[in-house]
Amino acid sequence: SPQGRSKKRSRKHQRFMARRAVLEQKGLLSPHRHPGSQTPEAGLEAHTELTEANATTAPRCDKVPKPKQTVSPSLSPSASPDSIARHHSVLLSQGNGSSRRVRVSNLVPRPGKYVAIDCEMVGTGPQGKLSELARCSVVNYQGDVIYDKYVRPELPIVDYRTRWSGITKKHMKNAIPFKAAQAEILKILKDKIVVGHAIHNDFQALKYFHPKDRTRDTSQSPALKKRAGLPIRANVSLKNLASHLLHKKIQVGCKGHSSVEDAQTAMELYRLVEVQWEKELAHSLPPRPPSPVTDPAADSSQYLDDQYWPTDLMASSL
C-alpha cells in the first residue's frame, strides 16, 4: 500500500540521517553539502531516495562516474613502470573495440612469466677442465630469490674454482645430487621467459635447452650495448654492464661470484630495455605455435623406465 511504501522510505531516510550525523560528528562530512565535495560514503548514500517527514522526495544526486582503469587487471601491483607502459601500449593498440575485456598480447608476457638464472660451476674430469653445476640461483621479475641451492656434481670435483665460483668443499656437505636439482630447476623454468648473461653456459651446465623465443641473454642484447656506449659486436661482461648502466659494483673481492647477485643483476639489466627488446623480438621471431594440450598428471620421466626401451637396444647394452 502507499502507506507501507512511505513507512519503508521513512525508515530508509532515518538510517541515512543517522549515518550522516555520525559522519558529520567525525568531520568526514560537512553539514552543508556542495556538489563534488561529499565523501565517498555520503555519495553512495545519496543515490537512494530521501523522504522528509511530509513524504516529499529529495532530489537524487547524479551518479559519480568511476575512474577508468588504465592498467590491465592482469598486471601485478608490483610491476615496473616499463611493464605498465607496455600494457598501456597494448590497450592503445586495441583501439575502441566492442569487446570490454582487456586482451593482453602474447608478445607482452606478465611479470610472473619472467625468471633470471645464474649458475656457478666447478671443474671435474681430466685436469678439472670439465665444467659441472655446483650452485644454481633463480630470481623472479622483482629480483626475489625463488631458488638457491648447492649441487653435487656427478663426477668427483678436481678444481673448486673458488676464486670465480665461490664454491668450497664445505658447500658440498649439504649439496643435493645433480639429478634432483635438475628436476627442481627445470620445473621452475617450464613455460617461463628466462633471463641470464651468457645463458648458454648455464643451460649447458643444466644439460638443458630452453626455447630461443623464451630466452633473453643480456650478453647478446644490442639495446644494452648501445645504452652503455659499447660496440654492438663487443663481448661485454655482466660486471661491465652493471657498472655502466646500473652504477653498481658486482663480482668484487676474492671470495668468488654470487649467483644470486648475478641473476638479480641480469634481471635489472633486462628491465632497463624490456620494452625495446620485446618490440624488436616481436618483429624478428616467427609466431610461436600453440603448446600441445597434455595431461598434467602424466610424468615424462616414466618413459625412462626399461619397459619403454626398444628390445634390440636393450640387448646391445648387455
Side-chain angles (χ1 to χ4, degrees):
S1 65
Q3 185 177 1
R5 286 196 297 272
S6 177
K7 287 182 179 179
K8 185 179 295 185
R9 286 197 296 268
S10 180
R11 285 195 297 270
K12 187 182 296 184
H13 173 65
Q14 290 172 6
R15 289 196 299 270
F16 166 69
M17 292 301 291
R19 175 65 174 163
R20 180 181 170 187
V22 172
L23 294 175
E24 290 179 357
Q25 186 178 2
K26 292 182 178 180
L28 299 176
L29 182 66
S30 59
H32 301 286
R33 295 196 311 274
H34 299 283
S37 64
Q38 57 190 6
T39 62
E41 292 89 347
L44 291 174
E45 293 289 346
H47 296 323
T48 61
E49 291 187 0
L50 306 182
T51 308
E52 301 293 343
N54 58 1
T56 58
T57 303
R60 181 180 298 180
C61 296
D62 293 333
K63 188 174 182 180
V64 180
K66 294 182 179 179
K68 292 183 179 180
Q69 196 171 14
T70 56
V71 182
S72 168
S74 62
L75 188 63
S76 170
S78 57
S80 69
D82 284 346
S83 290
I84 294 175
R86 292 190 300 105
H87 279 259
H88 284 185
S89 65
V90 173
L91 296 178
L92 291 174
S93 66
Q94 290 172 356
N96 299 323
S98 58
S99 175
R100 293 185 180 181
R101 291 187 177 183
V102 178
R103 299 188 305 274
V104 181
S105 170
N106 290 332
L107 301 175
V108 186
R110 285 171 277 183
K113 280 288 186 181
Y114 291 98
V115 294
I117 189 173
D118 187 76
C119 298
E120 300 297 342
M121 278 72 82
V122 293
T124 63
Q127 301 178 346
K129 292 185 178 180
L130 182 63
S131 294
E132 285 200 58
L133 181 67
R135 183 185 180 185
C136 181
S137 302
V138 183
V139 301
N140 62 14
Y141 185 82
Q142 289 77 25
D144 302 321
V145 178
I146 57 178
Y147 188 90
D148 183 30
K149 290 186 180 182
Y150 291 98
V151 182
R152 188 184 309 115
E154 295 180 301
L155 297 176
I157 299 175
V158 177
D159 184 359
Y160 282 92
R161 304 177 185 174
T162 306
R163 181 181 175 185
W164 298 277
S165 68
I167 306 295
T168 62
K169 188 175 182 179
K170 67 178 183 180
H171 293 131
M172 293 296 105
K173 291 182 179 179
N174 297 321
I176 65 173
F178 171 77
K179 289 293 184 183
Q182 183 191 46
E184 293 174 350
I185 297 164
L186 298 193
K187 188 174 181 180
I188 295 173
L189 301 187
K190 183 181 179 182
D191 298 328
K192 296 289 196 303
I193 291 178
V194 184
V195 180
H197 193 85
I199 199 170
H200 61 280
N201 293 322
D202 303 303
F203 291 152
Q204 185 176 1
L206 285 167
K207 300 180 180 180
Y208 168 71
F209 294 96
H210 198 69
K212 184 178 179 181
D213 62 332
R214 294 185 182 179
T215 302
R216 307 290 183 267
D217 190 340
T218 53
S219 71
Q220 301 296 323
S221 170
L224 284 172
K225 295 177 184 179
K226 286 181 182 177
R227 192 158 180 163
L230 301 172
I232 300 299
R233 295 184 179 181
N235 292 323
V236 57
S237 67
L238 183 66
K239 183 176 182 178
N240 286 338
L241 282 178
S243 177
H244 280 87
L245 301 178
L246 304 176
H247 307 292
K248 74 173 187 178
K249 296 181 179 180
I250 63 170
Q251 301 175 355
V252 294
C254 57
K255 294 185 178 180
H257 301 177
S258 166
S259 52
V260 170
E261 182 181 54
D262 289 355
Q264 290 171 335
T265 302
M267 182 61 82
E268 287 182 65
L269 289 169
Y270 169 74
R271 289 173 62 170
L272 278 180
V273 293
E274 178 182 4
V275 175
Q276 181 182 351
W277 198 336
E278 296 300 331
K279 187 176 180 180
E280 291 173 354
L281 281 177
H283 293 290
S284 63
L285 289 175
R288 183 179 177 85
S291 301
V293 178
T294 58
D295 182 5
D299 183 4
S300 59
S301 63
Q302 64 176 312
Y303 296 108
L304 297 177
D305 294 344
D306 292 344
Q307 58 177 318
Y308 293 101
W309 287 70
T311 53
D312 56 342
L313 184 60
M314 289 288 292
S316 62
S317 63
L318 294 177

